[in-house]
Amino acid sequence: MSEVLKLIEDTNGKLCHMFPKFYPMVVPPQEWTGIYRGGYLTKQLEQPFIKTKTSNFLSDLKNRDDEMTQVFDAVNGIQETKWRINKPVLQVLEAVWELGHVIGKLPSRYEDELPPKPFDTSDKEGFKTWKQDPDNRDKWIDWKHKASKVYERNSKNTSKKIQVSALIELAKKFQQEEEIYFPHQLDFRGRAYPMPAFLEPQGAEFSRALLEFSEGKLMGSHSKSGYWLAIHTANMFGEDKLSLDDREKWTIANSDKICGVATDPLGTLSYWRSADKPFSFLAACFEWSGYM
């Protein structure tokens, strides 16, 4: 299994263009004006406004496009938002992934090792004799129980590791783009979701941290300019139960540590990895350091 995962990691970047994966767009998506008019520009990637397999439902809505202008406008507003890759966060994510660190929801890229067997099973006759002892049989059962937990944990992590590898490749693919967009559609309950997978604003915490708005706004010189940034930084660390003013005070009191993270992310890993949302906190550290 480890050899297969290594092969996937090594070739994912080269092969990702060979299978139909929905990517972010580098131009604004087509505005939704009907159930089948909007989103991606190319014919091959066309999707209905609502993600459902019930064709009768879509046919009924198609005849009522004129009643859905407000819904179309809302989704158009979401998918017209300009994003870009947060390059400093991408560099750190790629580095900690290569090192195999487990941070927040980021899985380790390496499999957990099985516990050592209480007896060498390659010696079949010796193992058969050894296992006849009731104490040894209990040891063997205990080993199998522990080993099954490791197998289960490694199995669950397999798909997560492939997703992280794909996420990093996608982020690297789009890191030089000044603007990227995410076409959206609704589910059957009316909730808006981006069509691209892995790299998107509603993905895993470390995926969201890779994105920032492409159109930054000057914070100005007012005394409260950093107030909300300080609150956001405290929130990402896990101090969101404090009052707003106390969250600002927390960030100011820890400003040296926060700026230290921005200066040396790997050297301060033990600090920022303890945050509730570590990669989002890392992104906030870069912003706070720049503000200071």
Side-chain angles (χ1 to χ4, degrees):
M1 177 63 75
S2 59
E3 290 81 3
V4 174
L5 288 175
K6 181 66 167 58
L7 178 64
I8 291 174
E9 285 188 0
D10 291 343
T11 59
N12 188 69
K14 301 172 185 175
L15 300 180
C16 61
H17 64 283
M18 295 180 64
F19 52 90
K21 184 191 293 182
F22 291 121
Y23 282 0
M25 296 178 65
V26 295
V27 295
Q30 180 182 357
E31 288 191 353
W32 288 102
T33 57
I35 295 299
Y36 294 102
R37 298 189 302 276
Y40 285 103
L41 304 181
T42 53
K43 193 77 175 176
Q44 294 86 345
L45 295 176
E46 281 185 354
Q47 295 289 307
F49 182 63
I50 298 176
K51 189 175 183 178
T52 179
K53 295 180 179 179
T54 309
S55 56
N56 290 340
F57 176 58
L58 292 175
S59 297
D60 181 48
L61 288 179
K62 185 179 179 181
N63 297 323
R64 306 173 71 171
D65 284 348
D66 57 330
E67 300 176 27
M68 299 178 62
T69 53
Q70 286 184 316
V71 182
F72 293 145
D73 289 344
V75 176
N76 289 336
I78 295 172
Q79 69 177 16
E80 288 167 5
T81 301
K82 301 175 183 178
W83 301 86
R84 68 183 178 193
I85 300 299
N86 190 322
K87 295 179 184 178
V89 174
L90 173 59
Q91 291 174 355
V92 178
L93 174 61
E94 190 174 10
V96 297
W97 177 245
E98 289 295 327
L99 293 170
H101 290 300
V102 180
I103 302 173
K105 299 290 185 179
L106 184 72
S108 171
R109 63 178 298 184
Y110 302 113
E111 292 188 348
D112 292 345
E113 293 185 3
L114 292 172
K117 292 182 179 180
F119 192 89
D120 183 7
T121 54
S122 62
D123 179 7
K124 294 184 179 180
E125 289 300 322
F127 175 62
K128 187 176 181 180
T129 303
W130 175 85
K131 196 176 176 183
Q132 290 175 353
D133 187 314
D135 290 339
N136 291 338
R137 188 160 53 248
D138 290 341
K139 291 179 182 178
W140 181 248
I141 292 173
D142 181 59
W143 177 86
K144 288 178 66 177
H145 177 72
K146 292 178 180 177
S148 68
K149 293 293 183 182
V150 176
Y151 275 122
E152 182 180 1
R153 192 160 57 245
N154 286 338
S155 177
K156 286 181 178 179
N157 270 343
T158 298
S159 61
K160 294 180 181 178
K161 288 185 280 190
I162 295 173
Q163 289 173 10
V164 173
S165 179
L167 167 67
I168 292 174
E169 290 296 334
L170 278 172
K172 290 166 65 177
K173 180 181 180 69
F174 288 95
Q175 65 179 327
Q176 301 304 329
E177 299 293 340
E178 287 300 318
E179 299 171 359
I180 58 175
Y181 303 82
F182 295 90
H184 277 63
Q185 62 183 163
L186 302 183
D187 69 359
F188 72 100
R189 292 180 179 176
R191 299 174 296 193
Y193 290 99
M195 295 185 204
F198 308 131
L199 177 66
E200 41 104 347
Q202 296 184 37
E205 187 268 332
F206 49 84
S207 174
R208 298 195 301 272
L210 286 174
L211 296 170
E212 61 183 3
F213 296 126
S214 70
E215 292 186 345
K217 302 296 182 183
L218 289 175
M219 295 175 67
S221 57
H222 191 272
S223 60
K224 283 287 188 180
S225 291
Y227 182 71
W228 292 109
L229 177 57
I231 290 172
H232 170 72
T233 304
N235 287 345
M236 295 304 97
F237 191 82
E239 300 294 342
D240 52 320
K241 299 298 187 292
L242 300 175
S243 68
L244 296 181
D245 288 345
D246 284 344
R247 280 179 246 181
E248 181 195 28
K249 292 176 182 177
W250 180 91
T251 298
I252 293 173
N254 290 278
S255 185
D256 288 345
K257 287 184 179 179
I258 291 168
C259 292
V261 170
T263 303
D264 183 14
L266 295 182
T268 55
L269 182 58
S270 60
Y271 173 61
W272 63 267
R273 78 185 305 171
S274 64
D276 275 5
K277 298 177 180 177
F279 288 96
S280 297
F281 177 68
L282 173 66
C285 288
F286 286 123
E287 294 299 325
W288 181 259
S289 176
Y291 167 70
M292 293 302 291

